[in-house]
Amino acid sequence: MSLGKLMNKSFLTRTISGFLLCVIIAVTAIIGGDILYGAVFAIALAGLYELYRVAGMEKTPLGAVGYIGAIAYYIIIRFAEGNHFPELAVLLLIGVMAVYVFTFPKYSVDKVLMAYFGVMYVPVMMSYMYLVRSYNDDGVYTFWLIFVSSWACDTCAYLAGVVLGKHKMTPVLSPKKTIEGAIGGVIGAAVIGAVYGICIGGKLSSIDKGMAPALFAAIGAIGGLISMIGDLCASAIKRNYDIKDYGKLIPGHGGIMDRFDSVIITAPLIYYLIVYFA
């Protein structure tokens, strides 16, 4: 990379904001508890607002029902005992249906579906970052598997695609992504996961120390593969609505949904893999 490109203003902005974002995530994850809970809650609401804004419903009664549903969900996972998610999911559906009926024909079915989908897609799935961290004493270590699977895979896929990429993976949705890049991303995430397992294996209490490298490599590979779906899903929504970015909250990166698109879908997978193996 040339010195001129390194000094490019947009590149520097993206690098600095990305570094600060990583620092914020690291600090809140290490502290955990209510600090991480509050950070994830805020990020989730911001992401939901971005998605609703793209659909043109961020300040509508349908959007209000979605915000209320998201807030109620976060109150439940923090303060309620037991799993009350099924009841919340039903009540949220009833809420959006009520708005649809009593304002008919103001909203089309796709807006109603987006109101419900948005809560499940962003706040609920993003909450698993907090749930992974708070699951047990190893959460401070297993939390990072979310980012090993998503961001590491994304970086490795990009590098592999640049060097080896020939065959398009999704030529219509994302012409620059290649099958070779995807394979490189999965392998890269697996390798980084294994190295991470070697480094912190001795500190784990709920997972067999000797099993950590192989387990983390498998989680990295599976999570990396799934993270591509999250990335492409966010891209598909942007193409449907003909936009470049979801927002401008993170300078050089776009909005919350632009930066956390793969994390959203990876976090729940990591949680259930950890629950199963721990």
Side-chain angles (χ1 to χ4, degrees):
M1 184 179 293
S2 67
L3 180 60
K5 189 172 183 178
L6 282 172
M7 296 305 293
N8 181 272
K9 184 177 179 180
S10 61
F11 177 80
L12 289 175
T13 299
R14 181 179 176 86
T15 301
I16 293 172
S17 63
F19 174 76
L20 292 176
L21 180 62
C22 290
V23 170
I24 293 172
I25 292 173
V27 171
T28 54
I30 291 171
I31 296 173
D34 288 341
I35 298 297
L36 179 62
Y37 168 81
V40 174
F41 194 176
I43 291 172
L45 286 179
L48 181 61
Y49 177 81
E50 289 178 353
L51 186 64
Y52 281 172
R53 182 174 57 193
V54 167
M57 50 184 290
E58 75 277 16
K59 296 179 181 179
T60 64
L62 276 176
V65 172
Y67 299 138
I68 293 171
I71 292 170
Y73 170 75
Y74 273 80
I75 291 174
I76 286 174
I77 66 172
R78 176 61 183 84
F79 299 104
E81 294 185 5
N83 178 20
H84 299 282
F85 176 71
E87 297 97 313
L88 175 64
V90 171
L91 290 174
L92 175 62
L93 181 57
I94 292 173
V96 297
M97 288 172 65
V99 173
Y100 179 49
V101 169
F102 290 112
T103 61
F104 189 84
K106 184 175 182 179
Y107 300 109
S108 60
V109 174
D110 63 322
K111 291 289 180 67
V112 177
L113 294 176
M114 177 60 81
Y116 190 80
F117 168 76
V119 176
M120 300 297 134
Y121 176 43
V122 186
V124 171
M125 296 184 75
M126 197 171 283
S127 70
Y128 282 88
M129 289 195 292
Y130 167 72
L131 296 176
V132 168
R133 174 64 178 85
S134 59
Y135 177 67
N136 58 23
D137 291 339
D138 288 339
V140 67
Y141 304 112
T142 54
F143 173 86
W144 297 107
L145 289 172
I146 298 172
F147 298 92
V148 167
S149 300
S150 54
W151 290 358
C153 177
D154 185 51
T155 301
C156 293
Y158 171 77
L159 295 174
V162 169
V163 177
L164 304 171
K166 292 182 179 180
H167 302 87
K168 304 296 183 183
M169 184 170 66
T170 53
V172 176
L173 177 57
S174 186
K176 294 183 179 180
K177 294 187 183 299
T178 63
I179 295 175
E180 293 81 3
I183 294 173
V186 171
I187 294 175
V191 171
I192 295 174
V195 172
Y196 181 58
I198 293 172
C199 293
I200 59 97
K203 300 178 181 179
L204 300 174
S205 58
S206 61
I207 299 174
D208 183 86
K209 299 174 178 59
M211 184 182 178
L215 175 60
F216 285 10
I219 290 177
I222 297 171
L225 186 62
I226 297 300
S227 74
M228 296 180 194
I229 297 177
D231 182 21
L232 291 170
C233 179
S235 297
I237 294 173
K238 287 193 289 187
R239 284 187 175 272
N240 282 154
Y241 288 96
D242 194 26
I243 61 170
K244 183 178 184 296
D245 294 317
Y246 282 96
K248 299 179 180 179
L249 186 61
I250 307 173
H253 294 268
I256 292 295
M257 293 295 294
D258 295 295
R259 184 64 276 181
F260 288 85
D261 50 5
S262 57
V263 170
I264 287 175
I265 197 171
T266 304
L269 175 71
I270 300 302
Y271 175 81
Y272 290 112
L273 287 174
I274 293 300
V275 167
Y276 179 78
F277 286 107

